[in-house]
Amino acid sequence: MNMEHAIGQIKTYINTFILECQNEHISALCKHLQYGKMLRSKLLLAISGVSEEALRVCALIEMIQNASLLHDDVIDNASTRRGDLSINARFGNKNAIMLGDVLYSKAFYELSKLDMNIAQSVSLAVTRLSIGEIEDVRLSNGFHTNREAYINMCSLKTAALIVAAAESGAILKGLDKDIYSTYGENLGIAFQIIDDILDITQDSSTLGKPSMSDFREGKTTLPYMDLYECLQKDKQEMLLSYYAKNLSPKEEEWIKTQMQDNDIIAKSLQCAKNFADKALQAIASQDNQTLRDMITQMLDRRS
């Protein structure tokens, strides 16, 4: 079974789980869910190989990922998701929140039928990503340059479910899950840093959401920390005056010019590469070229 067919099977499982809820409104809402590149599923299958059990676990992880995004969009008051209207924009915050709750609870119910080690790994991941979301909100109270807090938030909010996917794949295959947990942790952090870079370097049509939306929403990502620390005081004050506000085209251009003049994107990218290298080191003893290729593809997303 090739990856494209496997992804189709995962989506079939998701649709089956949703239909088991026996609610037409939920089914209608779920038709608007967007699954993106399904990185977590591809990671799990790259470790475990394709099996019916692996596909079911992937479906549950994708349901949890979608639930977290539904709640995330409400928190961020996001109107778009991957170039389309977000569910909260289309159907309102209440529907988005409750649909997220349905996906979470249904996924946990199905997890209870599986290997206890997999259920515990995924459940812990949901706890971690929820804490990460709280940390993200807390850190958005003001501009900061606390790199340790930022990396910790990336580890919790983004890497947690990637770690669970890697661990689940290892458990299914009978491999050392600690090796793959370390790989997933560092892949996840690098992935988030690249995402934060793309928010600046790519245009709105490519991103599927307004560019530089992180800064507008009051999120201090790594490139902005790197930029702030390179600027003279007057320009630092200028940058801070743009924080958490709707930026004009002129203000956006000023920030991008400062990024370019100070070679900020390259500096932030190097940080992502450092975590990517740690991921590669973790699997150095494993014969899995697909996982090495995933690192390359993740880093190449910057272009």
Side-chain angles (χ1 to χ4, degrees):
M1 184 185 296
N2 63 31
M3 186 58 69
E4 183 177 350
H5 184 59
I7 294 299
Q9 289 293 98
I10 292 166
K11 291 179 179 178
T12 298
Y13 271 120
I14 293 171
N15 290 334
T16 299
F17 291 141
I18 290 168
L19 286 173
E20 288 173 356
C21 295
Q22 298 182 341
N23 185 286
E24 292 182 3
H25 183 54
I26 290 170
S27 297
L29 290 173
C30 285
K31 289 179 181 179
H32 297 278
L33 292 175
Q34 301 178 52
Y35 296 100
K37 293 183 168 70
M38 298 177 74
L39 167 68
R40 293 150 193 83
S41 291
K42 291 176 181 176
L43 171 58
L44 191 156
L45 296 176
I47 297 169
S48 71
V50 178
S51 68
E52 289 303 308
E53 188 174 13
L55 293 172
R56 289 174 69 89
V57 176
C58 287
L60 300 178
I61 288 175
E62 294 299 336
M63 288 170 68
I64 289 169
Q65 170 66 5
N66 262 285
S68 73
L69 294 177
L70 286 167
H71 289 178
D72 199 28
D73 283 346
V74 171
I75 291 169
D76 293 341
N77 196 28
S79 59
T80 58
R81 166 66 60 181
R82 298 190 178 99
D84 199 1
L85 281 176
S86 60
I87 286 182
N88 56 297
R90 193 186 296 268
F91 299 105
N93 287 342
K94 292 179 181 178
N95 277 306
I97 291 170
M98 295 312 299
L99 178 59
D101 290 347
V102 169
L103 293 177
Y104 272 133
S105 55
K106 178 60 174 172
F108 281 129
Y109 174 72
E110 296 299 330
L111 276 170
S112 71
K113 304 176 185 179
L114 302 178
D115 184 304
M116 181 182 68
N117 292 314
I118 291 175
Q120 288 181 344
S121 176
V122 177
S123 298
L124 177 60
V126 176
T127 301
R128 291 185 67 212
L129 74 84
S130 299
I131 294 171
E133 187 67 72
I134 291 171
E135 281 297 288
D136 192 20
V137 171
R138 182 182 69 82
L139 291 173
S140 298
N141 287 333
F143 188 92
H144 70 93
T145 56
N146 189 335
R147 293 167 183 271
E148 183 178 354
Y150 166 79
I151 295 299
N152 181 59
M153 184 272 294
C154 293
S155 172
L156 292 167
K157 184 179 175 182
T158 304
L161 205 53
I162 294 175
V163 168
E167 287 184 349
S168 296
I171 292 166
L172 289 168
K173 192 70 172 178
L175 301 172
D176 184 347
K177 73 180 181 68
D178 291 341
I179 290 174
Y180 296 93
S181 175
T182 302
Y183 173 89
E185 179 84 6
N186 288 286
L187 169 66
I189 294 171
F191 184 90
Q192 184 58 60
I193 294 171
I194 295 293
D195 237 29
D196 294 341
I197 291 171
L198 293 177
D199 183 71
I200 297 164
T201 60
Q202 293 195 342
D203 59 30
S204 299
S205 60
T206 304
L207 289 168
K209 63 177 183 178
S211 62
M212 303 183 78
S213 60
D214 288 339
F215 202 60
R216 287 189 180 90
E217 293 167 7
K219 296 182 180 181
T220 312
T221 58
L222 184 62
Y224 294 101
M225 295 183 203
D226 287 338
L227 177 58
Y228 182 84
E229 292 175 351
C230 286
L231 295 176
Q232 297 296 319
K233 186 174 180 180
D234 60 331
K235 290 186 176 180
Q236 286 181 338
E237 291 174 356
M238 181 72 75
L239 180 65
L240 292 179
S241 73
Y242 296 156
Y243 172 74
K245 61 168 284 189
N246 287 323
L247 300 171
S248 68
K250 184 177 180 180
E251 290 166 341
E252 279 192 27
E253 187 58 35
W254 184 88
I255 293 173
K256 289 183 178 181
T257 298
Q258 299 305 314
M259 292 269 185
Q260 184 175 3
D261 290 348
N262 291 280
D263 205 20
I264 296 303
I265 299 304
K267 185 174 182 180
S268 298
L269 179 60
Q270 185 57 54
C271 183
K273 287 180 176 178
N274 291 342
F275 284 102
D277 286 343
K278 291 179 183 178
L280 291 172
Q281 290 167 16
I283 59 164
S285 63
Q286 307 299 299
D287 184 21
N288 195 322
Q289 186 59 43
T290 302
L291 295 187
R292 295 180 178 86
D293 292 341
M294 289 183 77
I295 293 290
T296 302
Q297 292 162 9
M298 181 269 299
L299 291 173
D300 284 347
R301 290 171 64 233
R302 71 185 187 277
S303 59

